[in-house]
Amino acid sequence: MNQQIFKFLLFFAAFGSLSCFEQYGSAKIGERCERDRNCIQHAYCRVQMTCLCNQYYSPTFDMSMCIASAGLSCTDDFACSTMANAECRQGVCACKDSYILDINNSSNCISKPSKMGDHCQRTDECQDALGRAMCINNRCQCISSYHFVNETAKCIQTRLLYNTCLMDYECRGFNNENVLECRNGECVCKEGEATCNKG
């Protein structure tokens, strides 16, 4: 009798533990389903018709997986590991420092612009990084009458011939040529610069 009870308890424990495992189906995003368990991991069956990714998850291009997106609740970086260049910050998946969220894919963090000509999505990204700049044709460009300076990594106001200045890099010729220097607080032609128009 004790042996039968032991077998029953063993069978119940094994069966009960199997039912604790989450089971996922093979229906990809957009495919037909009847219940949530028909869909892949991190997906649900919408109106018992098609599989969709859960909130804060995005489908991969082939629709075979739902991967973490910005805003997903997390306790460690592992929960965010399917996001490119992301980490767990204050309990949610977010982009790492020096990365920003891709506006076309909330599961992807891309490099922030840091110099003129870097890829951008919006003007505010260029302004945050370079100051007086705009996003034109998906590239950061200094606004009119400003130029990018490597020493400051910013767009600064262009000083023309005979304008006041503090540093050589402020001075530029009319076509943005590097033919001027700052001497005695004024932009003047560099010594021996034949292409400088002294007007």
Side-chain angles (χ1 to χ4, degrees):
M1 177 77 149
N2 285 342
Q3 194 173 21
Q4 288 177 335
I5 292 173
F6 178 73
K7 285 181 182 177
F8 174 76
L9 289 174
L10 186 63
F11 174 78
F12 181 78
F15 179 75
S17 66
L18 287 176
S19 64
C20 290
F21 289 113
E22 290 189 59
Q23 296 178 354
Y24 305 105
S26 59
K28 296 178 183 178
I29 303 306
E31 292 182 351
R32 293 196 48 77
C33 58
E34 292 179 12
R35 293 193 167 44
D36 291 348
R37 68 175 180 239
N38 301 139
C39 301
I40 58 175
Q41 187 175 13
H42 306 302
Y44 67 99
C45 188
R46 183 176 181 263
V47 196
Q48 297 179 334
M49 295 187 72
T50 57
C51 293
L52 291 178
C53 289
N54 293 338
Q55 185 178 14
Y56 302 117
Y57 286 89
S58 299
T60 55
F61 289 114
D62 64 357
M63 305 295 199
S64 65
M65 291 174 55
C66 291
I67 56 177
S69 293
L72 176 70
S73 292
C74 58
T75 55
D76 58 30
D77 291 344
F78 182 75
C80 311
S81 62
T82 56
M83 279 184 73
N85 306 306
E87 63 189 356
C88 186
R89 286 193 173 179
Q90 299 177 341
V92 294
C93 292
C95 295
K96 293 178 180 177
D97 288 340
S98 75
Y99 291 91
I100 53 175
L101 193 63
D102 183 344
I103 60 174
N104 297 312
N105 178 357
S106 61
S107 292
N108 189 32
C109 296
I110 58 176
S111 295
K112 286 181 181 179
S114 62
K115 62 184 182 305
M116 195 170 81
D118 278 358
H119 182 269
C120 57
Q121 302 173 104
R122 298 181 315 265
T123 290
D124 63 320
E125 297 167 7
C126 299
Q127 290 172 338
D128 289 347
L130 310 177
R132 306 289 286 180
M134 294 181 68
C135 185
I136 301 170
N137 296 325
N138 294 341
R139 299 285 172 200
C140 287
Q141 301 294 325
C142 294
I143 63 171
S144 179
S145 75
Y146 281 73
H147 66 278
F148 182 78
V149 175
N150 288 325
E151 291 88 342
T152 63
K154 299 284 183 196
C155 293
I156 64 166
Q157 188 168 16
T158 301
R159 304 287 183 186
L160 300 173
L161 188 62
Y162 305 124
N163 288 164
T164 59
C165 60
L166 296 173
M167 304 295 289
D168 285 344
Y169 58 69
E170 295 176 281
C171 303
R172 288 281 186 250
F174 287 106
N175 293 320
N176 205 26
E177 316 107 341
N178 190 13
V179 295
L180 303 177
E181 65 184 354
C182 186
R183 195 177 326 128
N184 300 322
E186 185 178 57
C187 291
V188 294
C189 292
K190 289 180 179 177
E191 292 291 330
E193 187 62 63
T195 60
C196 185
N197 182 1
K198 295 182 181 176

